[in-house]
Amino acid sequence: MTHPDLLRLRNSIDNIDAALIHLLAERFKCTQAVGEYKAAHALPPADPAREADQIARLRGLARAAKLDPDFAEKFLNFIVTEVIRHHEAIAKARG
């Protein structure tokens, strides 16, 4: 039998995980629209300057939130890699 305190903590984690998934889905809806815009205007799928600004911003947010900035950067890089892949696919589909 699971201790009630452990169960409560795990339920909180489950709720946070669900919120993260929904937030990621919303984020990808927005980046999908960015990919469509970029393809329509013949812009490159990646924007290294924007990515560098985002990394710096999120590292600062991570520090303020007492989260490892290296972890935050790895997480963002993972997401950005997927976004760029989507943008490349959109551009390719538009031919």
Side-chain angles (χ1 to χ4, degrees):
M1 184 167 135
T2 304
H3 190 275
D5 289 338
L6 182 57
L7 185 59
R8 179 182 52 78
L9 290 168
R10 286 179 174 168
N11 284 338
S12 292
I13 290 168
D14 292 350
N15 288 337
I16 293 166
D17 287 347
L20 285 171
I21 294 299
H22 288 284
L23 286 171
L24 283 170
E26 281 301 308
R27 189 185 195 288
F28 275 93
K29 286 179 191 172
C30 292
T31 60
Q32 184 78 11
V34 168
E36 295 288 346
Y37 181 91
K38 286 180 173 183
H41 294 86
L43 297 171
D47 184 344
R50 163 82 174 154
E51 293 160 25
D53 289 344
Q54 284 295 88
I55 287 169
R57 186 177 74 83
L58 289 181
R59 286 183 69 87
L61 288 171
R63 279 190 291 276
K66 308 285 192 262
L67 180 68
D68 179 2
D70 291 336
F71 170 77
E73 184 173 344
K74 288 176 192 172
F75 182 70
L76 180 63
N77 283 331
F78 177 76
I79 291 171
V80 168
T81 297
E82 186 67 10
V83 167
I84 292 169
R85 189 179 70 77
H86 289 183
H87 289 183
E88 289 169 345
I90 292 167
K92 184 178 179 182
R94 285 184 169 251

